[in-house]
């Protein structure tokens, strides 16, 4: 078997928050990898409901979604871990009491929880309190948005006991992922399933939720727009999405002519 390749979506394969296919050059590069016997995986923080048909049409051997909470291989889900209902209810209760605005990322739907100083512009179903949660929401992770970094302090100690936190540079946005369900854990799960060692994996990413993935992979490649600590974790730094950085890195690594 060839190697396993893992590609983040936003800021790596496509521009942030876009709903589109990668560039023609990147699509051709991914197809060339597959023709050479390698397996290609989308490895994104987006839940499945937010990936979109354009990106899905690129052609992948599997999907890592929810930053590692959901894994599919050859069209079949092989791992799915949602936030346990008791922990989810306690989390939402604290979110509401701390007055933080959050989006709960469900497999099929996003939900708006909390009422913080930062009003979110999306019309997702509202969760007013923990008693409304049934477990059928299939919440995999969530994001928190504040107007000042200090607003998250009353919630932070609880969060770090149960979750991994990935903050933005300005401290106004936090991606919150279950412990043990990050992208690095997803790579290990797929390696075990495919009978491939970590040394035969290649990962591309640009954000803090990619850091453990780049450290775990046999080869980790960071986009040049990545935060400094993410670039330091990588063995190779390449160009941006607009520069088709993935293609240039694959050429430097000898996977493309």
């Amino acid at each position: 078997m060839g190697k396993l390749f893992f590609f983040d979506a936003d800021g790596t394969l496509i521009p942030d928050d876009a709903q589109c296919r990668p560039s023609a050059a990147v699509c051709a590069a991914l197809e060339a990898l597959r023709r050479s016997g390698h397996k290609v995986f989308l490895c994104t923080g987006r839940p499945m409901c937010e990936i979109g048909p354009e990106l899905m049409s690129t052609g992948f051997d599997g999907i890592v979604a929810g930053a590692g909470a959901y894994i599919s291989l050859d069209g079949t889900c092989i791992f799915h871990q949602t936030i346990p209902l008791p922990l989810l209810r306690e989390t939402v209760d604290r979110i509401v009491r701390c007055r933080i605005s959050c989006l709960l990322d469900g497999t099929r739907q996003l939900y708006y929880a909390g009422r913080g100083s930062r009003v979110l512009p999306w019309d997702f179903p509202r969760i007013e309190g923990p008693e409304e949660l049934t477990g059928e929401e299939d919440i995999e992770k969530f994001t928190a948005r504040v107007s000042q970094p200090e607003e998250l302090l009353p919630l932070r100690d609880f969060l770090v006991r149960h979750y991994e936190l990935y903050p933005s540079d300005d401290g106004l946005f936090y991606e919150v992922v279950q412990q043990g369900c990050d992208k690095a854990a997803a790579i290990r799960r797929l390696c075990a399933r495919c009978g491939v060692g970590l040394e035969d994996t290649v990962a591309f990413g640009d954000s803090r939720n990619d850091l453990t993935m780049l450290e775990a992979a046999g080869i980790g490649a960071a986009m040049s727009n990545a935060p400094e600590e993410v670039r330091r974790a990588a063995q190779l730094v390449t160009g941006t999405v607009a520069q088709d950085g993935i293609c240039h890195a694959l050429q430097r690594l000898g996977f493309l002519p």
Side-chain angles (χ1 to χ4, degrees):
M1 179 182 288
K3 295 183 183 292
L4 307 185
F5 285 79
F6 297 86
F7 297 93
D8 172 54
D10 295 281
T12 302
L13 281 172
I14 57 176
D16 284 336
D17 299 320
Q19 290 290 355
C20 62
R21 283 168 59 87
S23 71
V26 170
C27 286
L30 269 56
E31 179 58 30
L33 291 176
R34 298 180 75 191
R35 286 199 309 268
S36 297
H38 305 299
K39 287 189 177 293
V40 172
F41 295 88
L42 178 64
C43 194
T44 177
R46 298 187 189 196
M48 288 296 294
C49 63
E50 288 291 297
I51 292 177
E54 299 91 348
L55 183 53
M56 290 289 282
S57 70
T58 302
F60 298 102
D61 296 290
I63 307 290
V64 175
Y70 177 98
I71 305 172
S72 70
L73 176 63
D74 297 326
T76 299
C77 178
I78 64 168
F79 177 83
H80 189 205
Q81 178 64 60
T82 59
I83 300 174
L85 184 57
L87 175 59
L88 179 62
R89 283 177 169 164
E90 182 177 4
T91 301
V92 168
D93 182 52
R94 289 172 181 263
I95 286 169
V96 171
R97 288 192 284 112
C98 291
R99 300 183 62 81
I100 303 294
S101 295
C102 291
L103 289 183
L104 308 180
D105 290 8
T107 310
R108 300 175 302 277
Q109 172 71 62
L110 271 61
Y111 300 84
Y112 190 156
R115 294 180 183 272
S117 64
R118 189 165 169 187
V119 178
L120 307 184
W122 301 288
D123 188 27
F124 295 121
R126 290 301 302 254
I127 302 294
E128 301 289 349
E131 68 283 351
E132 297 180 13
L133 295 161
T134 66
E136 295 180 359
E137 297 84 5
D138 287 338
I139 304 302
E140 300 170 350
K141 56 184 275 288
F142 62 95
T143 55
R145 293 162 172 82
V146 294
S147 299
Q148 299 292 330
E150 296 78 15
E151 293 177 33
L152 197 78
L153 288 178
L155 191 59
R156 187 178 180 88
D157 286 347
F158 168 77
L159 292 179
V160 297
R161 287 200 304 271
H162 300 283
Y163 302 97
E164 303 292 344
L165 272 63
Y166 304 117
S168 60
D169 287 338
D170 59 11
L172 303 183
F173 171 89
Y174 293 81
E175 185 174 18
V176 186
V177 174
Q178 299 177 79
Q179 292 180 359
C181 289
D182 61 10
K183 291 185 178 183
I187 288 181
R188 294 188 181 97
R189 289 183 171 105
L190 278 162
C191 282
R193 184 65 174 250
C194 296
V196 172
L198 281 171
E199 66 276 9
D200 286 321
T201 62
V202 184
F204 286 77
D206 77 305
S207 66
R208 289 183 173 88
N209 75 6
D210 298 312
L211 195 153
T212 60
M213 172 176 78
L214 300 184
E215 292 176 330
I219 299 173
M223 312 301 279
S224 59
N225 53 287
E228 181 180 354
E229 65 265 39
V230 177
R231 299 196 305 272
R232 286 200 308 265
Q235 292 154 277
L236 180 151
V237 177
T238 189
T240 64
V241 172
Q243 297 166 332
D244 286 335
I246 285 173
C247 298
H248 298 302
L250 291 173
Q251 289 170 338
R252 289 167 61 186
L253 293 168
F255 293 109
L256 293 179

